[in-house]
Structures are given as structure tokens and as C-alpha cells.
Amino acid sequence: MNTLPKDISGWGRYPVQRCELVRPERHAELWSEAPSLLARGQGRSYGDAALNAGGRVVLTERVNRFLAFDRDKGIVRAEAGVTLAELLALTVPRGWFPLVTPGTRHVSLGGCVAADVHGKNHHHDGAFGTSVRELELITAGGRRLRCSAQENVEAFRATVGGMGLSGIIGEVELQLRPIESAYIRARHQGAANLEQLFALLQDSDHDARYSVAWVDLMSRGAALGRGVVMNGDHAAADELSGGRRLTPLRLVPHKAHNIPFAMPGWLLNRFSIRAFNSRYFRREGGRDAPFLVDYDTFFYPLDTLDNWNRLYGRRGFVQYQCVVPTATALAALQQLLQRLATSGHPAFLGVLKRMGAQGTGYLSFPMAGYTLAMDLPMQGATTLALLDSFDEVVLQHGGRVYLAKDARLAPASLRAMYPQLAEWQRVRRELDPQGVFSSSLSRRLRMEEEA
Amino acid sequence: MSGAILILGATSAIARGAAAAWAQRGYRLYLAGRDVESLRRDAADLTIRYGVAVHFGAFDAAAHDSHAAFLQRVTEEMGELEGVLLAFGYLGSQARAAADFRETLIIINRNFVDAVSILNLCADQLEQRGRGFIAGIASVAGDRGRQSNYTYGAAKGAFALYLQGLRNRLFPAGVRVLTIKPGFVDTAMTFGMPGLFLVAAPQDVGARIVTAVERGRDVIYVPWFWRYIMLIITCIPERLFKRLKL
């Protein structure tokens, strides 16, 4: 197979590293002999999780065939390169929706498994791994291993959330959720500060299936952590009106706009972001009455802007996503926002979510508590120092950082954050004694090494 | 649209693109190639995405004696064919071909002799039926011999000439013949090659093939601007061309 040495990055465009790319066209070609291997789906993890500097990166984009679809039971089996966009195009018109979806459709099923992604419904339905009925894992040497919650359970738990380091995910079988329409009944509520935002997210009267809060990261003082809680549920067919009611599962596709090249780095500064956030807060915070919105707009607002990561300019950006346990979540997140405010560092998009119980995988990110995600333009040492100071707060409160978003965590912090690391290491050594599967992230965090 | 289309070399990226475009239009397909397990997966994918019947089976292009039986089996399974896309080919290595005649033979056989063997049979069947099409993937490399790949270019050029003759022969019978000349397409063949520009996605090329068949075109370049690139290249006088490093 042809190889292509190329400088690539994750979605955050930081860091950029030279990897040896191969792109199999067929499932049988997923495995290839190389001293260092890593599968990469759509490259939507942010930092260096899908990079393998100096090693081989197996692009799975062409290995994207549907293998089976049971329209009565809502079970789909596909090669791991299938994207959620492809899955939705197939299953929504037939009345099925993924049990769990992250905030973009442009992710592969293999990537969803490897990062054990979560969605706006984690507090109800858990992370992606809970919807996986079975996986095919291609382990070191090219052996194909079926694993699930019942069969080869340890391999399954090392793969779900295992960041692609247990092998190449070849096939994924998923359970889907029945839906009556392609629409969401949504409701927005503004909150003047973080405390109010927490109160709304906890409020069981408004306990929608999907729940997420946008946070104004540039607000300060009494308004620190103000935001908008966005709730939603799948709408029943009879809630629709007019033409929509006749074809409740049909959507007119949205036109995507493209950011053609990296924007000047100064575009997103604290003044432009502040102005945007104030306007957004006023507009979205006031939509208290329930309204109907198509699933595309509700789940994937940023997908309407292709290559939106170019907004951050050449230096790229880092996303900091952490989860902190319920008991002290409010205090922890207040501290984080306070540190961000005092630093004066610009930060765009803040997202706050309530999380349910710990997930399937040894390294699954979610835990019962609250998760905050922040996009920060990369400004070198100042950004990295700020994020290190965030780690202190998160560690203090027994929380953790999301590896799929990470580009800079320290090895010691990983060990404190992921208590099941040793189990993961044990299973990984059994599956891959030579340590063929490796990534820039795994080497930076010394994930294979004990303590 | 109950017609069935036979795709030879169906696991290639361009063939996959064309298969998707035909399946989307409701055609039944027969996928043929050497790698039956891959064909099984492609068939499942097309059936699930587009809800059409897709059959598949092993086809060995080099086993010329088996071609008649193969075509008969396909016809028995699918009914009469609406058309045939020939998508198999082999780029090989010019350097290896110059040093080892076995490589030269593989390049010539796969791209020309094997193709002629099966298309002769398809042509007879379609001619008798009095309608349908044959589409063959040649190459811009066949428009002018260049030191970097003249064995491949010669075989593809011969194939293009064969298709031209077939087009002439089958015209009275109402059977159309399309010659496809791809430039750079983003396939396994070109992945990682240095010096590529304006590379087309195989899905787009596949869709172009399907519309070209519908419009009864004779020769298409994909992407289209390759017609003009090749026009310039073929216009360079030989006295000058032989000095170039192409």
C-alpha cells in the first residue's frame, strides 16, 4: 500500500506533526505491518489523540460500508469508517436515531467508540459505549477479535474509551433509538450566573432527554458563568404541523458554508467574543416557550460551518474539557471561570453539561458530575500555563480531563485522574505485548508505563 | 429501471463511486472481481443504502477461458444486462517493466488483453439484444507515451482504440460505448504520489460516468479539464516532446 508522509493535526490544529499516512480502501487492508500504528477516523479529536508522530496512521475514511441494518429492531452494523452523518442519512428517514451523538456528525463510528463520546443525554443514557452491541477489534498481528459487554469483556472495556490504543476498530454494531420525527421540541432558559445555571440543569421538572448549557466565558463578577440552558426531546409526529406532518422523518438538508482558509489570528479576541456572547445571550436566552427545531440544528449547530476550526488562525486552539464530581462541582467550576477571568485570556464557546454515571471503558471520560468545555485560542506558553492551573483545580476536586480533547496534560495528572489506568494497561499488554499501537498522546502521557 | 449493470473490477474506488450512483437511480448491480469478501461488503453496503438488489461473484480477468461461463452465470442470475462498466486495471511500475518482461506482460494483459476478452463477449450479447451500453475506463496516460509510464499508457491507449472500434461496430445495433479517461483521481493508485494536482474524488468521477452513459457520450475526460490538458500535451511536437522529462 502507498504511504504518504504528511504534517497533520487534530481538529484544534495544534500540535502539527509528521506522520506516515496509509489509506486502505478495504476492510481487509486495515491491518498493515509497521513498528508503530494508529487508526484515525475523521480527525475530529482536538489535540494529539489521532496523531502518531514518526509512526504510521491508518486513515479509515474509505472503510465505510454498512454491513447490516435491521429496520424492525434498530440495529445497525457497519465498518468503523462510517460517519454519523452517513448513519443519520440512512436511519433517520426510517425512524431510528443514534442513542448517543456528540456535537458533530462528522465523526467516524470507530472514533466515537475509541473516545467513548457522550452527548447531551449522558445523564440519562450514558456514553456511546452503552449503545455498542458488539465490536470487531483488529489487534496487533492482524488478529480479529469480537468483543462486547458479554464476550471478551476486558478487550471491550479497554477499547471503549481506549483512544485507539488497543487495536484498530474494524466493525461496530449499534443499537438505535426509535423516533417519530426528525424534529426536537426544544426550550431555552437564560441564567444570570453559574449558580442559576446549575439550578436549571438540576431541575427535574425540566428534565428533558437532552440538556446542555452554553456558558458566556467572558462574563465576570456577579454575572460569572451566565448562560443559556437548552433542553430538548424528540418530537412526536403529531406535534408537527403542515407539510412536516406528512413526512415527519424528512429533512431538507442544510447548506454548509465553508471557512476557506485560516483566518487572521486576531479575529477571535476578547472584545469580539464578548460582543458575540452578549448578543447570543440576549437572543437565545429569551426563547423560553417550547419551539420545534430539526435535529440537525439542535445537535450539530457548528456543522453548518465547514472547517470552523480555521476561525482560530494558524496557531489553532485548544479545547479544555473536564468533568468534576457533583458534590463540589459548582465550587470547582466557579474557580475555573474565576481563573479564566483573572487571566484575561480570550475563550470562545463554553459548554456545560450534567453527566450520569461512569461509563463502560477503563478510560471512559464521563463520571457523575458536571462537565465544562472551553475553546481557547492557542497563545503558546500563557495558554499552557493557564490550563495547567485548571488541572490543579480539577485534580483537587477529584475530576478529570477528556483525552479526546487534550494536547497538553501531564503524565502524573493522568494517573491521578484515571484510577482504572492500571487495569487498562494490563489488558493492553495482553492484547499488544510489543506495543505496536501507539499515539502521540499515549507517548506524551506515558500511558503504557506504570506510575 | 429494472435493468442490471455488470461492474468488472468492482472494488476499485471509481467503480464504487459509479455503483453508488447507479444504485441511487434504482439499477440492480452485479459486482465482479477477485476479492469476494470485499465484494460481499460492497454489495451489503449498496443494498442497505439504496435498497436495490446487488449480486456479486468471483471474476478472474486473466482466466480468459472462464469468461464465457462467467457471463452466462451473470445473465442467468440477473436477466439481460443493461450495460457493463469495465473498471479493472493495473498501473504497475515502469521501472520494473523495463527490467522485467513479466511486469510488462501483466500491465499489457490486465489493461488490454483481459479487457478485450470479456468485452468481446459482452459486446456480442448487447448487440443481439439491440440496446445497452459498454463503459470502459482507459486513461489520459493512453493519449501520449511518456517515459514515466509508457507501458501502462500503451496498454490503456490500445484499450481506448479498441473501445473506439467497438463504438463504431455497435452503433447500428443501438449499443453505446463510452470511453472514460481519468486524470488524477484520489484512489489507492494515486495515494501518496508526488506532484498531483486538482485530484478528483472517486465518488464524483463515478457519478460523472453514470451521467455520461445517460447522455450517450462517446469519450469523457474526468475531471473535464483534462481534455484541455491532454490537448496541449498531444499538440507538443515530437521533436520537442522527446526532450521533456514527463
Side-chain angles (χ1 to χ4, degrees):
Chain A
M1 210 181 323
N2 300 343
T3 58
L4 172 64
K6 198 176 174 187
D7 292 331
I8 58 170
S9 71
W11 184 245
R13 298 163 61 86
Y14 167 85
V16 177
Q17 294 173 351
R18 174 60 57 108
C19 303
E20 181 192 80
L21 307 183
V22 295
R23 191 187 58 194
E25 296 276 337
R26 309 170 191 192
H27 178 261
E29 298 164 344
L30 274 174
W31 166 257
S32 54
E33 201 69 53
S36 172
L37 265 185
L38 181 74
R40 174 179 165 111
Q42 294 289 312
R44 286 287 176 138
S45 56
Y46 284 66
D48 53 2
L51 301 181
N52 191 15
R56 179 169 289 185
V57 169
V58 183
L59 306 176
T60 64
E61 60 207 63
R62 294 274 169 100
V63 186
N64 67 335
R65 292 149 186 94
F66 286 104
L67 302 170
F69 179 32
D70 184 329
R71 288 159 200 222
D72 301 321
K73 295 191 182 133
I75 297 168
V76 70
R77 188 175 182 94
E79 292 176 347
V82 162
T83 64
L84 272 190
E86 291 176 286
L87 182 80
L88 291 159
L90 173 70
T91 66
V92 169
R94 285 154 187 108
W96 296 98
F97 202 76
L99 270 178
V100 172
T101 172
T104 171
R105 297 169 296 179
H106 303 303
V107 283
S108 68
L109 298 185
C112 288
V113 171
D116 197 16
V117 298
H118 56 272
K120 302 181 201 307
N121 55 338
H122 189 269
H123 55 301
H124 286 298
D125 302 308
F128 198 81
T130 59
S131 70
V132 175
R133 290 168 49 91
E134 191 183 284
L135 292 177
E136 180 203 55
L137 182 69
I138 303 170
T139 59
R143 195 165 60 107
R144 280 150 208 266
L145 192 69
R146 285 152 51 107
C147 52
S148 68
Q150 290 80 37
E151 190 184 1
N152 292 313
V153 182
E154 291 195 321
F156 186 67
R157 297 188 64 196
T159 303
V160 173
M163 305 311 292
L165 299 164
S166 59
I168 296 172
I169 298 165
E171 295 175 8
V172 182
E173 188 173 285
L174 288 178
Q175 176 65 57
L176 306 169
R177 171 197 311 283
I179 50 168
E180 282 189 27
S181 82
Y183 292 86
I184 300 290
R185 181 183 354 97
R187 190 183 161 196
H188 291 181
Q189 289 164 285
N193 55 42
L194 194 63
E195 253 169 84
Q196 277 191 30
L197 209 53
F198 261 69
L200 287 174
L201 284 172
Q202 278 170 330
D203 186 353
S204 52
D205 286 349
H206 298 110
D207 200 10
R209 167 123 345 245
Y210 302 104
S211 185
V212 66
W214 167 81
V215 186
D216 179 358
L217 292 175
M218 301 308 287
S219 60
R220 299 188 170 189
L224 187 76
R226 72 170 176 171
V228 179
V229 173
M230 304 165 171
N231 284 324
D233 272 295
H234 291 284
D238 61 19
E239 290 178 63
L240 308 180
S241 56
R244 287 175 177 182
R245 197 164 183 157
L246 296 173
T247 53
L249 292 164
R250 281 284 148 70
L251 275 196
V252 183
H254 293 256
K255 238 184 263 159
H257 301 276
N258 190 18
I259 310 277
F261 48 82
M263 293 288 126
W266 48 261
L267 193 71
L268 292 183
N269 57 54
R270 76 186 95 141
F271 305 103
S272 65
I273 296 172
R274 188 166 290 151
F276 174 88
N277 283 4
S278 295
R279 221 187 67 166
Y280 190 81
F281 180 75
R282 276 195 301 277
R283 199 185 65 183
E284 297 299 323
R287 305 177 71 183
D288 200 357
F291 60 98
L292 284 174
V293 57
D294 62 79
Y295 79 85
D296 243 7
T297 310
F298 183 79
F299 288 105
Y300 316 112
L302 286 171
D303 283 355
T304 52
L305 214 52
D306 283 342
N307 300 306
W308 62 260
N309 54 348
R310 291 177 178 161
L311 285 173
Y312 286 90
R314 295 209 160 277
R315 300 182 76 179
F317 70 107
V318 280
Q319 183 171 97
Y320 189 84
Q321 182 167 3
C322 61
V323 58
V324 278
T326 316
T328 57
L330 178 58
L333 297 182
Q334 261 165 346
Q335 277 179 51
L336 287 185
L337 291 181
Q338 201 61 58
R339 286 191 182 198
L340 176 67
T342 4
S343 74
H345 199 292
F348 205 40
L349 208 63
V351 175
L352 177 68
K353 272 191 292 239
R354 186 149 63 106
M355 292 287 230
Q358 169 72 39
T360 319
Y362 298 120
L363 299 183
S364 283
F365 165 70
M367 65 164 79
Y370 287 83
T371 176
L372 177 67
M374 308 180 254
D375 285 352
L376 288 84
M378 185 60 194
Q379 300 186 340
T382 45
T383 310
L384 296 173
L386 178 65
L387 299 186
D388 284 345
S389 87
F390 287 176
D391 288 346
E392 287 169 22
V393 177
V394 171
L395 279 168
Q396 224 171 49
H397 290 85
R400 64 172 66 122
V401 162
Y402 193 5
L403 297 181
K405 309 283 179 82
D406 181 50
R408 30 64 49 197
L409 193 68
S413 306
L414 172 85
R415 278 149 182 81
M417 290 172 173
Y418 286 87
Q420 297 191 80
L421 181 68
E423 272 118 313
W424 179 81
Q425 287 173 332
R426 178 179 54 77
V427 179
R428 212 192 87 85
R429 267 195 303 275
E430 280 169 28
L431 291 169
D432 181 13
Q434 314 292 330
V436 171
F437 291 101
S438 184
S439 67
S440 295
L441 174 115
S442 79
R443 291 189 295 272
R444 174 170 56 79
L445 292 172
R446 302 197 202 115
M447 287 174 73
E448 288 88 357
E449 296 168 29
E450 286 165 42
Chain B
M1 271 187 295
S2 61
I5 293 167
L6 167 63
I7 303 182
L8 300 158
T11 57
S12 86
I14 294 178
R16 236 188 123 192
W22 272 314
Q24 205 163 21
R25 287 160 161 80
Y27 286 98
R28 292 177 302 121
L29 302 173
Y30 191 98
L31 310 181
R34 278 177 303 182
D35 181 349
V36 177
E37 174 54 23
S38 288
L39 295 172
R40 184 193 314 280
R41 288 170 172 269
D42 283 331
D45 182 57
L46 290 164
T47 303
I48 292 169
R49 285 186 203 245
Y50 307 108
V52 291
V54 182
H55 296 230
F56 61 92
F59 170 72
D60 183 356
H64 304 147
D65 290 345
S66 73
H67 287 182
F70 165 79
L71 192 61
Q72 197 184 344
R73 215 170 48 242
V74 173
T75 316
E76 276 164 15
E77 224 173 285
M78 308 299 290
E80 281 189 323
L81 290 182
E82 178 71 34
V84 179
L85 170 66
L86 189 139
F88 63 76
Y90 174 64
L91 177 62
S93 149
Q94 182 55 49
R96 227 181 309 141
D100 182 353
F101 189 65
R102 280 171 301 183
E103 173 80 351
T104 304
L105 261 187
I106 298 172
I107 294 174
I108 293 171
N109 281 336
R110 184 68 40 74
N111 293 303
F112 181 57
V113 181
D114 299 354
V116 168
S117 166
I118 181 69
L119 285 191
N120 274 351
L121 300 170
C122 295
D124 291 346
Q125 195 190 90
L126 291 168
E127 191 174 37
Q128 269 177 22
R129 194 184 169 210
R131 53 177 284 209
F133 69 88
I134 288 172
I137 299 184
S139 172
V140 292
D143 282 7
R144 187 152 201 183
R146 297 174 299 124
Q147 62 176 336
S148 55
N149 64 357
Y150 58 88
T151 308
Y152 175 78
K156 283 294 195 186
F159 182 50
L161 212 52
Y162 166 81
L163 289 173
Q164 193 174 40
L166 206 56
R167 177 159 44 244
N168 195 190
R169 167 189 151 192
L170 295 177
F171 178 77
V175 178
R176 293 173 318 228
V177 177
L178 168 68
T179 308
I180 301 139
K181 295 187 177 179
F184 295 144
V185 185
D186 189 13
T187 63
M189 197 197 261
T190 60
F191 185 77
M193 265 189 194
L196 301 192
F197 52 91
L198 297 167
V199 180
Q203 302 91 298
D204 296 343
V205 172
R208 268 292 309 285
I209 291 172
V210 169
T211 51
V213 166
E214 282 168 355
R215 289 177 194 164
R217 301 280 302 274
D218 296 325
V219 181
I220 59 163
Y221 286 78
V222 278
W224 60 270
F225 48 78
W226 276 88
R227 178 180 293 274
Y228 301 96
I229 295 174
M230 292 322 294
L231 183 67
I232 293 164
I233 289 180
T234 50
C235 283
I236 300 172
E238 196 62 27
R239 290 175 64 85
L240 178 62
F241 195 80
K242 68 185 178 189
R243 297 165 205 269
L244 300 177
K245 293 244 181 284
L246 285 169

